[in-house]
Amino acid sequence: MAETDETPEAGFADPTGDPLLRTRFALPTRPATFVRRPRLTEHLDEALETPLTMVNGSAGAGKTLLVADWASGLRHPVAWLTAESTDQAPGVFWAHVLQALRAAGVPVASEVGSPAEAGRVDQRTLTRLAADLEGRDQSTLVVLDEFDRVVSREIAEQLEFVLHHAGRGLRLILVTRTEPLLPLHRYRASGEMTEIRDAELAFTPDEAHELLTRHGLQLPASAVQALVERTGGWAAGLRLCALAARQGTDPHAYLKQFEADHSAVADFLLAEVLDRQAPDTQDLLLRISVLERCCPDLVNVLTQRTDAEPILAGLQRENAFVHYLGHSWYSLHPLFAEILRAHLRERFPGLEPELRSRAAQWLRRSGALPEALAQGAAADDWEFTARAVVDDLALGQFFTGLRSDDLSALFERMGPDVRGPAPDLVRAARELAGRDVEHGLAHLHRAEEELARDGATDPAAAGLTCALLEALAARLTGTPGRAERAAEQALALKPDVPGHLLDEHPELSALLLTHLGSARLWAGRFEDARSVLSAVAGRPGGAAMALPRWEALGHLALIDYLNGWLGRAEHKALAAAGQAQRYSLPQRSGAGLATLVRAAVLIDRDELDEAQALLDEVAASHLLGEDPVEEAGRVLTRGRLLLARGDARAALAAADAIVPAVVSSPWAEDHAAALASAAYLAQGQPESARKVVERVADRRAACTVQAARARLAAGHPDEALEMLHSLPETDRPGPAVTVRATLVRAQAAHELGDHTAAHRLLGRALLDGRREQLRLPFLEAGPWVRPLLSTGRLRDLAAGWLVPGHGPPAPTAQPQPPALVVEELSARERDVLRRLAEMRSTEEIATDLHVSVNTVKTHLKSIYRKLAVSRRGDAVRRARDARIL
């Protein structure tokens, strides 16, 4: 704005005879620490095109300085008037408005005149003023600061009259804490109004960082973010905190730990907000300060009144740090609530726990269980809080991964003196969630004993909760019979549990079935396990069901893998990974199982670097004790990888590892024996290989095949064939087993001199193995197979996936030297390379292939090594030269 030296004439007064104070017409001075915020000044530029602009925010939101800074940058005059509470008389108000125009250098026609009486203004004065403004070539900007002090409806109607009839000649900007009495709805509906409200006035982290810097404070981004969250981006709060922190020796520590109730922030809010309210309203604000959010009914419960609705609405309209959340719910500004709570404790000692207990009971009746639990815990009402978790069937949330950490932290303060079945069930859940089975079972058994004597807790809900914890304990200890008994107990109790609770908490039943399925899998009852796990994997339920579905899919993937169906196993494992990524689930027991299965599949495909990356991923995220199923899967997968890399001794050690469990698992023993047998064969000890596996050879097709391999290695091809002929017809293993069996038959035929049969069988193995990219069985088969793969049809069947493919011959003219390829790329590396040639980023490749970014990086390192390059572009060019792409 162009500055002007024009001031009110000496002795000029309003209709009451009081002088017109020059300071009320001057733009406020911006302090040296003022932060210009372009996003807001750009929004204010719209005021030049709309008749009415309202900058509406709470005390200290930075409204006045924002508008003053914007106005100072304009090229034409701005009439500024800071309203006072004395401006309720129309004559006084309009005398000040007219003087604001003159002080800004805006000429006012002499026929407009000036009010002669304090209590009224002649309508002709308003009409002439509107006509004068409307007839000008350039719009006149008028800013009425602190307009919330003008509460006269008559003045509002007069202002609306002038604004309407002045047309494009007037641009009115109201800076206010409250909604003015003008017909705002009409201006909004016609698009003739610019609005900036509290939410937009709040400082962003970047703006807060600049403000703190201007106060001489340099803080890390995380500290600035935390301060913005605590202050809600409130301008005055940030500035007062910065001023106080600058006085201390450690500003960072002050801003992290400052007590809002003993600071300049408290003084400001108490003086500007609380003390301006009537005593009854002050009492209401103090009482609702214990709530994260509130609605009129809840406030009436805490205040024992019936008029909360209009009071809350009025406070919100006044920008008294009460925010409307929608659907009749409100919240207090976080700092204001913090200060109010401190004053509540000072004024009414002992009232806070009572208020929180009342709130907890109301919230639970209303279905807002998480908030009810938070209030109950804050009130130290642990009996109520624990019973609410159990009776509402919410205890399963200790294990779902979404609220488990919050729920566990909530009960950290519950002391050992709190007794009863519900508190002990909560303790049992916390211990079992942390995989402390011994202490978890101690609490669980005490709770079960107390339930028979205690009638306060819902017996059906508590019994169902006990069944869930029993099933989890059975899973963690490898006790299938115990899991079955828990499932029977749950089935008997379900009819006595209200149906709506079961519908609201589907995770409880799903978790129980997942634990049962895991226990059945450990027992080797694959089909029984598949039936309950499939029911969980296919059940809808959104985020609440994400972790049970994740675990169920991981177990189903393992069953498919153990049966030799690698493609099916990989599909389910990737679906489990999709659940984890979609809901950002943390790692929990069973959660690493899908990743282990993917690693095992990659080992059979001889993609060992990729498998190692996945095993490293599991190890890095392994925070809790595993259940026996996952532990066995981890040990066996690691052993198979060691063997595939040629470390037979370490593979033998892995096969001998003991998985802690009450009941041993037949499949875990069988696959450990098969691994040990394969390791002995790799060491050239066929007799040891035969002995270790033949004791379990009749229990599992994979073990029968391994026993036949041992017989064949010992020089007994007829016995090997006889063993394979004895495979049960009802057993339908997948390609990972049948390809190995076919290779044993082919090798036996080869050694017996039946080369036709050997070629035929090897061809069948190649066809079956190509579908699943099964390379490892052919590498395990030994040197006899290599010459056969270089001849005729067998060479064609192996080309491109098992041995390098055959492209067209290079042109004779100008022959090019072959591109250097140190080692053949794996199938997955080719997948990555193709996407690399499409200019996709690492993150895009990871998403497309359903793997982690770290896994893609591992692939890239391997590709660079094998192609003898160090950059992406070089890798693509080298691959094209080598006809890989």
Side-chain angles (χ1 to χ4, degrees), residues 137-157:
D137 295 333
Q138 187 177 17
S139 299
T140 298
L141 272 67
V142 176
V143 176
L144 300 181
D145 187 26
E146 299 192 34
F147 190 70
D148 47 280
R149 297 183 176 184
V150 180
V151 296
S152 167
R153 183 171 295 277
E154 184 180 1
I155 291 176
E157 291 173 353

Side-chain angles (χ1 to χ4, degrees), residues 348-376:
F348 305 104
L351 181 58
E352 183 180 355
E354 179 187 337
L355 292 171
R356 290 189 179 277
S357 290
R358 277 194 235 162
Q361 293 167 20
W362 186 94
L363 289 164
R364 186 187 173 196
R365 289 194 302 270
S366 300
L369 184 62
E371 292 170 275
L373 298 179
Q375 290 294 343

Side-chain angles (χ1 to χ4, degrees), residues 297-345:
D297 288 345
L298 176 54
V299 174
N300 285 333
V301 168
L302 297 194
T303 60
Q304 298 178 330
R305 294 163 55 172
T306 59
D307 58 351
E309 186 168 6
I311 294 177
L312 289 171
L315 289 168
Q316 188 266 332
R317 283 195 304 272
E318 295 171 14
N319 280 314
F321 288 80
V322 176
H323 305 307
Y324 184 60
L325 305 177
H327 304 289
S328 298
W329 285 89
Y330 297 82
S331 69
L332 293 176
H333 185 284
L335 270 183
F336 191 35
E338 189 178 338
I339 293 164
L340 289 174
R341 283 193 296 274
H343 280 261
L344 174 70
R345 296 171 193 135

Side-chain angles (χ1 to χ4, degrees), residues 620-644:
S621 60
H622 176 62
L623 304 176
L624 303 173
E626 297 159 328
D627 62 39
V629 171
E630 186 172 348
E631 176 64 17
R634 186 184 65 80
V635 169
L636 292 173
T637 303
R638 178 174 173 274
R640 293 190 64 247
L641 179 60
L642 290 167
L643 181 60

Side-chain angles (χ1 to χ4, degrees), residues 811-853:
T812 55
Q814 297 180 346
Q816 299 292 323
L820 178 61
V821 179
V822 177
E823 186 180 338
E824 187 71 20
L825 298 183
S826 69
R828 184 49 62 90
E829 288 166 352
R830 289 170 182 264
D831 290 339
V832 172
L833 190 58
R834 280 193 291 272
R835 288 159 176 80
L836 205 63
E838 295 170 0
M839 302 297 289
R840 299 196 193 186
S841 68
T842 304
E843 291 75 14
E844 289 171 336
I845 296 173
T847 301
D848 197 34
L849 295 178
H850 303 287
V851 298
S852 70
V853 171

Side-chain angles (χ1 to χ4, degrees), residues 30-112:
R30 276 78 67 205
T33 55
F34 175 77
V35 174
R36 179 169 287 108
R37 299 193 277 170
R39 64 181 179 88
L40 295 179
T41 53
E42 288 173 9
H43 192 174
L44 268 176
D45 285 341
E46 298 176 16
L48 301 174
E49 302 299 327
T50 57
L52 178 62
T53 294
M54 181 176 68
V55 181
N56 188 343
S58 55
K63 309 179 294 298
T64 297
L65 292 181
L66 167 68
V67 177
D69 179 61
W70 170 77
S72 68
L74 297 177
R75 294 182 178 179
H76 47 271
V78 175
W80 184 285
L81 171 62
T82 301
E84 297 280 1
S85 56
T86 55
D87 293 343
Q88 307 309 315
V92 174
F93 173 80
W94 285 105
H96 281 84
V97 170
L98 292 170
Q99 185 57 37
L101 291 168
R102 298 187 186 100
V106 178
V108 179
S110 58
E111 59 266 22
V112 172

